[in-house]
């Protein structure tokens, strides 16, 4: 009987310890990282409403490693809920392209200024070797020079040229 009492006491003690640990875990605030900054046009004007995406370097955006937010009217943004690590920060706004170095990476707590420039349009026609139009062909454009005419070392086209 005494042995049963000791076993029961031990079980109650373990149960109470687990409950206390679970409650402590629930009440602790989650630590979250933040990267903040501002998106501005090439003339220095704020880009209110621009979308900003932070993607963890080496992590798949599909697996929840990407966080997105929008800029306020003054172009300010704050991407919160980031786990510890290094991030690529990309801004998007209709009619604009980023002029920042795409290879630049940011850490939790850093402040970022993203400059955007008015974008252009590329048009054309894809034909086969006989001059006949091709339908359903995937076409992409890679920037090989930045806004100052220097080679854009962060572009995939430049990486392929130098490999």
């Amino acid at each position: 009987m005494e042995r049963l009492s000791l076993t029961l006491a031990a079980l109650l003690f373990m149960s109470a310890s687990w409950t206390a640990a679970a409650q402590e875990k629930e009440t602790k605030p989650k630590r979250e990282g933040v990267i903040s900054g501002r998106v501005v046009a090439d003339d220095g004007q704020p880009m209110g409403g621009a979308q900003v995406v932070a993607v963890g370097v080496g992590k798949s955006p599909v697996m929840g490693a990407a966080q997105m937010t929008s800029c306020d009217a003054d172009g300010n943004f704050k991407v919160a809920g980031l786990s510890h690590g290094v991030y690529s920060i990309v801004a998007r706004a209709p009619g604009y392209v980023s002029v920042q170095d795409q290879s630049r990476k940011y850490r939790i707590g850093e402040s970022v200024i993203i400059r955007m420039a008015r974008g252009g349009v590329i048009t054309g026609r894809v034909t086969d070797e006989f001059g006949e139009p091709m339908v359903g062909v995937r076409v992409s454009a890679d920037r090989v020079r930045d806004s100052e005419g220097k080679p854009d070392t962060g572009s995939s086209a430049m990486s392929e040229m130098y490999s």
Side-chain angles (χ1 to χ4, degrees):
M1 187 73 164
E2 190 175 312
R3 189 172 190 188
L4 181 61
S5 296
L6 286 174
T7 305
L8 186 55
L11 287 173
L12 286 172
F13 176 76
M14 289 184 346
S15 175
S17 297
W18 289 335
T19 303
Q23 286 175 345
E24 183 181 318
K25 196 176 205 177
E26 288 175 11
T27 58
K28 276 188 179 178
K30 287 186 177 180
R31 294 182 70 192
E32 66 176 34
V34 174
I35 297 176
S36 59
R38 191 165 190 231
V39 179
V40 295
D42 50 359
D43 62 359
Q45 294 298 308
M47 298 281 300
Q51 289 185 329
V52 177
V53 180
V55 180
V57 172
K59 300 176 184 174
S60 169
V62 177
M63 301 305 287
Q67 296 282 350
M68 184 170 39
T69 190
S70 294
C71 295
D72 65 15
D74 294 323
N76 298 311
F77 69 88
K78 181 169 118 176
V79 184
L82 301 173
S83 61
H84 183 73
V86 179
Y87 290 83
S88 291
I89 306 292
V90 179
R92 295 185 291 198
Y96 286 83
V97 295
S98 175
V99 294
Q100 75 182 39
D101 178 5
Q102 298 294 320
S103 65
R104 174 103 196 265
K105 307 300 180 227
Y106 302 91
R107 296 186 181 280
I108 301 299
E110 284 192 75
S111 184
V112 181
I113 295 179
I114 300 174
R115 299 196 187 286
M116 306 287 281
R118 281 238 174 246
V121 176
I122 300 172
T123 62
R125 181 176 170 180
V126 179
T127 60
D128 64 15
E129 65 270 19
F130 304 109
E132 294 296 318
M134 296 181 69
V135 178
V137 175
R138 173 174 259 161
V139 177
S140 65
D142 285 318
R143 183 171 74 174
V144 295
R145 300 203 180 275
D146 65 15
S147 60
E148 297 171 358
K150 297 177 189 164
D152 185 356
T153 57
S155 80
S156 60
M158 292 303 282
S159 299
E160 291 172 16
M161 287 173 57
Y162 292 113
S163 5

